Amino acid sequence: MNKIPEKTIERMILYRRLLLGIQNNETNNIFSHQLAAMAGVTSAQLRKDLTPTGYYGSPVHGYDITQLMDSISEIIDAPQMQNVALAGLGHLGRAVLDYSQGRRPKLQIIAAFDTDPGKINRAIHGCRCYHTDEIEKVIKENNITVGILAVPVDEAQEIADRMVNAGIRGLLNYAPMQLKLPNDVYVENRDMIMAVEKAAYFARQSVKGKEGKVHESLS
Amino acid sequence: MNKIPEKTIERMILYRRLLLGIQNNETNNIFSHQLAAMAGVTSAQLRKDLTPTGYYGSPVHGYDITQLMDSISEIIDAPQMQNVALAGLGHLGRAVLDYSQGRRPKLQIIAAFDTDPGKINRAIHGCRCYHTDEIEKVIKENNITVGILAVPVDEAQEIADRMVNAGIRGLLNYAPMQLKLPNDVYVENRDMIMAVEKAAYFARQSVKGKEGKVHESLS
DNA sequence: TCATGTGAAGACATTCACAGCA
DNA sequence: TGCTGTGAATGTCTTCACATGA
């Protein structure tokens, strides 16, 4: 399997979700320009993105929706189940849990961590909450490889270190700081403060009525 | 002012925050390689990013921390105050509000919208909550140009349309869907579901012990 | 005709490498 | 020496343009 560009992966995830949404409609097929319009990309972009799947559409009928979904899933889903751990059950952690609820069968948040005694040993959406002290134990025992960091900034580095030591290979970081972690661990930063500042900056660049979009940022 | 690359803007926001964190320390100066290390980028990258500021460092003393902060702020801050509106005060909305609290004097969330009667007319962190019906009125009256969308998916498009009609020029979208909006409005998508799937994908690509980072994603 | 897949071109972003300077 | 700013080279991503086939 060749290395697939990061941006392509992001869009594949989007394409699959869009396809899922139009499944069971009257039609079983879709053309590249239709799906591209839903995703907000050009049809050429979409077709190039699909190259790594090896799935070929027909110039006459376009793509078979189900087959295309499956082909994309082969790439972006793990062969077996992938377990996820969530650190921090404040407002943000709860939001993450709510959003992720029942989305992907192959990818589930099976454990959450917090220090609040009122939350420990309770389950939300089928996800059990443990005390932060148990991070290492729970991650190892359940073979969890993906982590979500939703703790306050001042705890973020320590918790991240512990998660990585316990076996986390990919980390989604919501703390507004730059984590120092081994190079072989993937980190996806979702800095909420930066996001607002960025939106504000580009809001100023956006001149009303000017055609040709300011530009848009996926993911 | 020339058009500054999006990635550069993101990193400028990061640089400023890092500089803010080391202000009032024993030293007033910093070298590019030091700040670059904190930001997780190369020193060449940092120096290139600073070009648009017009601020010049000294080969002997590096950069003056305060002056550099100010130079960056001139670019990423609005000349006057920029007002922000937040739609949706569920867990996610609350999290956004908590994080943004007292961060940037020039950028403040001054209004929130929800339909829950228990929240309306209350204030959180000095941000007043209005009923969703008042979106147009409040946005216009307060000259709000930046919006944050933290409502459920099925309401997202309608609320977004109304915000944009009322004057929003830049929108931070947390709903896991592709909004259809005029091209001249800037949209920053922060899809929480995609973020987890992406982290999971790259977690699998990350081979333990392999040098040369998997790669990392800012913002 | 119309939609597909794809090489070639273009746009954008990062890294390299080095001149200049105290 | 050691750090800066920056042109040139490299790398990554997107768009263009067209051959192919029903």
Side-chain angles (χ1 to χ4, degrees):
Chain A
M1 191 221 298
N2 253 335
K3 191 163 155 280
I4 302 169
E6 173 176 5
K7 297 292 182 67
T8 297
I9 293 295
E10 287 186 5
R11 285 187 299 261
M12 280 185 176
I13 295 170
L14 174 59
Y15 299 150
R16 179 172 64 174
R17 188 163 62 210
L18 292 168
L19 290 168
L20 196 63
I22 57 169
Q23 229 185 2
N24 307 322
N25 275 17
E26 67 287 346
T27 171
N28 296 320
N29 299 285
I30 191 168
F31 290 113
S32 67
H33 64 92
Q34 299 175 304
L35 182 54
M38 289 189 247
V41 301
T42 67
S43 64
Q45 174 88 80
L46 167 62
R47 293 198 300 274
K48 205 143 239 172
D49 284 339
L50 297 185
T51 320
T53 65
Y55 176 71
Y56 278 45
S58 138
V60 180
H61 304 105
Y63 306 94
D64 179 284
I65 292 176
T66 308
Q67 282 178 31
L68 182 52
M69 268 185 50
D70 292 347
S71 304
I72 295 177
S73 296
E74 259 176 54
I75 291 177
I76 58 179
D77 278 346
Q80 304 86 17
M81 181 85 147
Q82 236 177 333
N83 293 329
V84 184
L86 167 63
L89 265 184
H91 286 299
L92 182 55
R94 278 297 310 261
V96 170
L97 216 46
D98 291 348
Y99 270 106
S100 305
Q101 193 40 22
R103 283 289 184 157
R104 295 266 100 226
K106 290 283 192 63
L107 189 65
Q108 281 190 342
I109 303 177
I110 61 163
F113 301 98
D114 207 298
T115 50
D116 178 349
K119 289 169 185 158
I120 290 160
N121 286 327
R122 294 184 48 193
I124 305 174
H125 300 316
C127 163
R128 169 126 178 251
C129 180
Y130 301 87
H131 191 280
T132 306
D133 292 344
E134 302 194 82
I135 284 183
E136 287 82 357
K137 180 167 167 287
V138 173
I139 288 182
K140 279 179 186 153
E141 281 181 359
N142 294 281
N143 191 31
I144 299 176
T145 54
V146 183
I148 305 172
L149 202 59
V151 301
V153 228
D154 47 306
E155 301 169 26
Q157 182 66 59
E158 190 217 323
I159 304 285
D161 287 338
R162 291 174 53 194
M163 289 180 109
V164 168
N165 281 334
I168 293 291
R169 310 299 305 149
L171 192 57
L172 175 49
N173 173 35
Y174 281 104
M177 67 167 293
Q178 215 55 23
L179 297 170
K180 297 272 172 286
L181 292 174
N183 276 344
D184 57 10
V185 175
Y186 176 78
V187 179
E188 172 82 15
N189 288 302
R190 286 291 152 115
D191 186 322
M192 307 190 106
I193 300 168
M194 170 187 297
V196 181
E197 294 190 43
K198 191 180 166 192
Y201 175 84
F202 285 108
R204 296 205 306 280
Q205 312 302 309
S206 142
V207 179
K208 186 144 186 171
K210 193 195 66 176
E211 254 321 304
K213 69 167 55 186
V214 194
H215 78 224
E216 180 161 352
S217 177
L218 202 82
S219 100
Chain B
M1 191 221 297
N2 254 335
K3 191 163 157 279
I4 303 169
E6 173 176 5
K7 296 292 183 67
T8 297
I9 294 295
E10 287 187 4
R11 285 186 299 260
M12 279 186 176
I13 295 169
L14 175 59
Y15 300 150
R16 179 173 65 173
R17 188 164 61 210
L18 292 168
L19 289 167
L20 196 64
I22 56 168
Q23 230 186 2
N24 307 323
N25 275 18
E26 66 287 346
T27 172
N28 296 321
N29 298 286
I30 191 168
F31 290 113
S32 67
H33 65 92
Q34 299 175 302
L35 182 54
M38 289 190 249
V41 301
T42 66
S43 64
Q45 173 85 263
L46 167 63
R47 293 199 298 274
K48 231 184 198 136
D49 284 339
L50 296 185
T51 322
T53 65
Y55 176 70
Y56 277 45
S58 138
V60 180
H61 304 105
Y63 305 94
D64 179 283
I65 292 176
T66 308
Q67 283 179 31
L68 182 52
M69 268 184 51
D70 292 348
S71 303
I72 294 177
S73 296
E74 259 176 55
I75 291 178
I76 59 180
D77 279 346
Q80 303 86 18
M81 180 86 147
Q82 236 178 333
N83 292 329
V84 184
L86 167 64
L89 265 183
H91 286 298
L92 182 56
R94 280 298 309 263
V96 169
L97 216 46
D98 292 349
Y99 269 106
S100 305
Q101 192 41 22
R103 282 290 184 157
R104 295 266 99 228
K106 290 283 192 63
L107 190 65
Q108 281 189 343
I109 304 177
I110 62 163
F113 300 99
D114 207 298
T115 51
D116 179 350
K119 288 169 185 158
I120 290 159
N121 286 327
R122 294 184 50 193
I124 304 173
H125 300 316
C127 164
R128 170 126 176 251
C129 180
Y130 301 87
H131 191 281
T132 306
D133 291 344
E134 301 194 83
I135 284 183
E136 287 83 358
K137 181 167 167 286
V138 174
I139 288 182
K140 278 179 185 153
E141 281 180 1
N142 294 281
N143 191 30
I144 300 176
T145 54
V146 183
I148 305 172
L149 203 57
V151 301
V153 230
D154 48 306
E155 301 169 25
Q157 182 67 58
E158 190 217 322
I159 304 285
D161 286 338
R162 290 174 53 194
M163 289 180 109
V164 168
N165 280 335
I168 294 290
R169 309 299 305 150
L171 192 56
L172 175 49
N173 174 34
Y174 281 104
M177 68 167 293
Q178 215 56 22
L179 298 170
K180 297 274 173 284
L181 292 174
N183 276 344
D184 57 9
V185 174
Y186 175 78
V187 179
E188 172 82 16
N189 288 303
R190 287 290 151 116
D191 187 322
M192 306 190 107
I193 300 167
M194 170 187 297
V196 180
E197 293 189 44
K198 191 179 166 192
Y201 175 84
F202 285 107
R204 297 205 305 279
Q205 312 302 309
S206 142
V207 179
K208 186 144 187 171
K210 192 195 65 175
E211 254 320 305
K213 69 167 56 185
V214 194
H215 79 224
E216 179 162 354
S217 177
L218 202 81
S219 101

